[in-house]
Amino acid sequence: MNVSRPAALALVLGAALVPALALPAGKGPAPADPLPSWNDGPVKKGLLDFVTRATKKGGPDYVPPEERVATFDNDGTLWPEKPLPEAVFVAKRLKVLVRKHPSLLLREPIKAVLRGGVTHLRELGEQVVVDLLVTSHSGMTQEEFEADARAFFKGSRHPTLRRPYTELAYRPMVELLELLRANGFQTWMCTGGSVDFVRAISVPMYGIPPQQVIGTSLRKEPRLVGGRTVLWRLPTLLSYNNKGNKPVNIDLHVGRRPLFAAGNVRSAGDVEMLSYCQGRKGPSFQLVINHDDGEREFSYRERDDATLSAARKHGWTVVSMKRDWKVIFRPRGE
Amino acid sequence: MNVSRPAALALVLGAALVPALALPAGKGPAPADPLPSWNDGPVKKGLLDFVTRATKKGGPDYVPPEERVATFDNDGTLWPEKPLPEAVFVAKRLKVLVRKHPSLLLREPIKAVLRGGVTHLRELGEQVVVDLLVTSHSGMTQEEFEADARAFFKGSRHPTLRRPYTELAYRPMVELLELLRANGFQTWMCTGGSVDFVRAISVPMYGIPPQQVIGTSLRKEPRLVGGRTVLWRLPTLLSYNNKGNKPVNIDLHVGRRPLFAAGNVRSAGDVEMLSYCQGRKGPSFQLVINHDDGEREFSYRERDDATLSAARKHGWTVVSMKRDWKVIFRPRGE
């Protein structure tokens, strides 16, 4: 259930009290800053103003709680995507597969990936990556896959940041998720990554329950194994949750347009989701993360600048990680 | 958000208090019956005992709140399926289509349906019904379809029960949904009907929010219309949510096995969902509605008795509508 305690209490006491409880939520005499990892400036102010307006009962931009849906991309929006954690997992799974079926080692592109590593994977192009994901994530039960994903997150670290992937949530974005939930928003993930991979960490990293994760999915079928019904993962793509499929899958899972959507600059994968959010009747908010901080994270651009062009054209809010974020990750040992 | 007020309050006060608040929840000195429309007997007792055990902290069958997922079929489980309300809607939509494109009138099976009516529709077989659903529910935007579905529910009445479909929720089942939510369960619909049709009434009839409705779905694609992104409904089936597809779609939307599942006797459409629920590690509950009350509702059986055979074999709880339900519908005018 996606209800933080303040939000649940607010449900009981009446929606009118939500903003008073949550924004600002003072612990002492001075109201606490709900976004302490964000630097002051127009982006932070825009976010706080939007939440205040959407929750101000009787105000012109008031949105009832059931319509407060927020959707977040994951790779590059909530955690780093250089490399994609799931690409590392795919490469690991391929190694396991090759041990079982050595003849696979002779097959391209598996051969290339196992020789060239994860960096090479991306150069092979999107379609090949999706194909390899399908190959490496199928041929087992759903429960076996979930155990594998959990084991991966326990044992793996980012190659250059040298921390477990589970410690690499962007802290400003975690604060934003918490602020939205405290104000009655449902927070959803809408990721190009595979739904079952991300569900393994969505609660501890982001407070997003599995039923609010939308992602790339495989076909499955029920099978009876030892008298028990299990779901078998088939080597067929059901939906690659990217670009135009994002609004389609949001509609399938949520059944309404988001009030708030967040994506990032890299491959224009979030443009359709952001446009769909903006097409909502009434107020809405679109956030785009721009990776311009090579010192603390990574600095990269999109080949044709499609996301930033769309942001300029449609008035979406662009986050400069360098300018807008006081810290990027949770300090070590905290 | 799927949180009733008692459940939300319980979240705040701590999960240990949930059963005390909700079961029994006394208004006066004597504890109120949370299932007043159910006759006393083993079925009612079994339901109440299960909820008590699943929520008793420290007990052997305790289930943490995030795992309390309950999935309900709709047609024949939560409302009558003679005729299927959606079949009536399909026939209405076909009439509109034929007015626009008169040549369709010459095409079978459309010709047969428009001549023979909804009763005839079922005789044409399941595949034909699904095809007609796809034909009649596509070729428009998502928002146009939603408006059509809402208009249907405003204007249509059950042909023999002579009440609007929206007054025909089984009252004992609505009480059961409320009891489960009051005890921290997420209540989900998992219907063979189309997801966008049922979402039009899931909140007022059952208290189930749109994001907790899983159903039959069409493919859609985003299109730009007047500069605004809309979703266009394509004439292609994405998933017919029946039989083996029910557990697959529950996994896609919820990401875990249900703790509680309810279906009904007619076409064995819920057997796989109930088996999947029972395959959960730890406690679980399977409920099957048997339509044996020709006086107050309808009396019918399954051709090969597959659902009742499975219920006997696996120990599922079977509801006799005649024996177990004190009332079936909300009294008129209440």
Side-chain angles (χ1 to χ4, degrees), chain B residues 154-174:
Chain B
K154 270 195 187 149
S156 304
R157 297 167 82 82
H158 190 282
T160 59
L161 299 168
R162 305 203 172 279
R163 300 178 69 175
Y165 293 108
T166 47
E167 290 182 12
L168 293 178
Y170 299 140
R171 190 180 219 187
M173 295 305 278
V174 171

Side-chain angles (χ1 to χ4, degrees), chain A residues 199 220 228-229 251-252 279, chain B residues 199 220 228 251-252 279:
Chain A
R199 279 175 173 167
K220 297 170 193 174
R228 183 170 168 263
T229 298
D251 170 72
L252 179 67
Chain B
R199 278 176 174 167
K220 297 170 192 172
R228 183 169 168 262
D251 170 72
L252 179 66

Side-chain angles (χ1 to χ4, degrees), chain B residues 80-94:
Chain B
E81 57 182 344
K82 282 192 168 280
L84 284 171
E86 189 157 12
V88 181
F89 180 57
V90 166
K92 281 210 168 184
R93 290 262 339 129
L94 288 176

Side-chain angles (χ1 to χ4, degrees), chain A residues 45-280:
Chain A
K45 187 173 181 309
L47 288 166
L48 294 172
D49 285 355
F50 179 74
V51 172
T52 303
R53 282 187 287 119
T55 53
K56 191 182 162 71
K57 242 186 164 166
D61 287 340
Y62 176 75
V63 178
E66 66 273 18
E67 293 181 30
R68 294 182 203 155
V69 168
T71 56
F72 288 78
D73 171 57
N74 186 30
D75 298 310
T77 299
L78 295 179
W79 72 3
E81 58 182 345
K82 282 193 167 277
L84 285 171
E86 190 158 11
V88 180
F89 181 57
V90 165
K92 280 209 170 187
R93 291 260 340 128
L94 287 177
K95 276 183 202 159
V96 173
L97 276 178
V98 164
R99 272 203 296 276
K100 272 191 196 165
H101 312 283
S103 65
L104 284 175
L105 195 52
L106 304 172
R107 246 198 251 166
E108 293 293 1
I110 296 177
K111 192 175 160 186
V113 172
L114 292 182
R115 210 173 30 205
V118 173
T119 321
H120 191 66
L121 194 61
R122 198 174 163 88
E123 289 159 24
L124 298 171
E126 201 169 290
Q127 189 54 51
V128 173
V129 175
V130 173
D131 289 350
L132 285 174
L133 187 151
V134 170
T135 305
S136 64
H137 287 15
S138 59
M140 67 191 93
T141 69
Q142 177 62 15
E143 276 134 351
E144 285 164 352
F145 179 83
E146 286 168 3
D148 263 19
R150 282 195 301 268
F152 170 79
F153 282 111
K154 270 196 188 148
S156 303
R157 298 167 80 83
H158 191 283
T160 58
L161 299 168
R162 306 204 170 281
R163 299 178 70 174
Y165 293 108
T166 47
E167 290 183 12
L168 294 178
Y170 299 140
R171 189 178 220 189
M173 295 304 279
V174 171
E175 290 169 3
L176 177 58
L177 287 164
E178 285 168 356
L179 170 69
L180 291 170
R181 285 194 291 265
N183 283 278
F185 283 67
Q186 300 166 36
T187 52
W188 290 74
M189 168 110 56
C190 185
T191 173
S194 73
V195 58
D196 298 313
F197 180 69
V198 177
R199 279 175 173 167
I201 48 81
S202 66
V203 173
M205 288 189 73
Y206 309 122
I208 296 179
Q211 68 271 21
Q212 287 172 207
V213 178
I214 304 166
T216 292
S217 54
L218 267 59
R219 290 196 181 276
K220 297 170 193 174
E221 66 177 24
R223 291 190 182 174
L224 268 179
V225 174
R228 183 170 168 263
T229 298
V230 297
L231 295 181
W232 191 258
R233 298 172 62 90
L234 300 170
T236 320
L237 188 67
L238 176 66
S239 175
Y240 175 35
N241 190 49
N242 198 28
K243 301 194 181 234
N245 285 339
K246 287 202 172 190
V248 170
N249 285 327
I250 289 171
D251 170 72
L252 179 67
H253 287 258
V254 188
R256 41 175 122 234
R257 286 186 193 249
L259 173 60
F260 184 102
N264 71 288
V265 174
R266 184 181 200 181
S267 56
D270 297 315
V271 171
E272 284 86 348
M273 172 172 76
L274 296 161
S275 300
Y276 178 61
C277 169
Q278 195 164 33
R280 181 181 182 278

Side-chain angles (χ1 to χ4, degrees), chain B residues 277-291:
Chain B
C277 169
Q278 194 165 32
R280 181 180 182 278
K281 276 169 196 159
S284 65
F285 196 103
Q286 295 75 39
L287 193 73
V288 172
I289 313 296
N290 193 22
H291 292 261

Side-chain angles (χ1 to χ4, degrees), chain A residues 1-3 5 7-9 11-15 65-66 142-143 146 184-186 188 195-196 199 203 210-213 215 217 219-222 227-231 238 244-245 247-257 272 275-276 279-281 314, chain B residues 1-3 5 7-9 11-15 65-66 142-143 146 184-186 188 195-196 199 203 210-213 215 217 219-222 227-231 238 244-245 247-257 272 275-276 279-281 314:
Chain A
M1 232 172 314
N2 179 24
V3 182
R5 280 170 184 233
L9 183 60
L11 270 172
V12 174
L13 299 178
E66 66 273 18
Q142 177 62 15
E143 276 134 351
E146 286 168 3
F185 283 67
Q186 300 166 36
W188 290 74
V195 58
D196 298 313
R199 279 175 173 167
V203 173
Q211 68 271 21
Q212 287 172 207
V213 178
S217 54
R219 290 196 181 276
K220 297 170 193 174
E221 66 177 24
R228 183 170 168 263
T229 298
V230 297
L231 295 181
L238 176 66
N245 285 339
V248 170
N249 285 327
I250 289 171
D251 170 72
L252 179 67
H253 287 258
V254 188
R256 41 175 122 234
R257 286 186 193 249
E272 284 86 348
S275 300
Y276 178 61
R280 181 181 182 278
K281 277 168 195 160
H314 301 299
Chain B
M1 234 172 313
N2 179 24
V3 181
R5 281 172 183 232
L9 184 59
L11 270 172
V12 175
L13 300 177
E66 66 272 19
Q142 176 62 15
E143 275 134 352
E146 287 168 1
F185 283 67
Q186 300 165 36
W188 289 73
V195 58
D196 298 313
R199 278 176 174 167
V203 173
Q211 69 270 21
Q212 286 172 208
V213 178
S217 53
R219 289 195 182 276
K220 297 170 192 172
E221 66 178 23
R228 183 169 168 262
T229 299
V230 297
L231 294 182
L238 176 65
N245 285 338
V248 170
N249 285 327
I250 290 171
D251 170 72
L252 179 66
H253 286 257
V254 188
R256 41 175 123 234
R257 287 186 192 250
E272 285 87 348
S275 300
Y276 177 61
R280 181 180 182 278
K281 276 169 196 159
H314 301 298

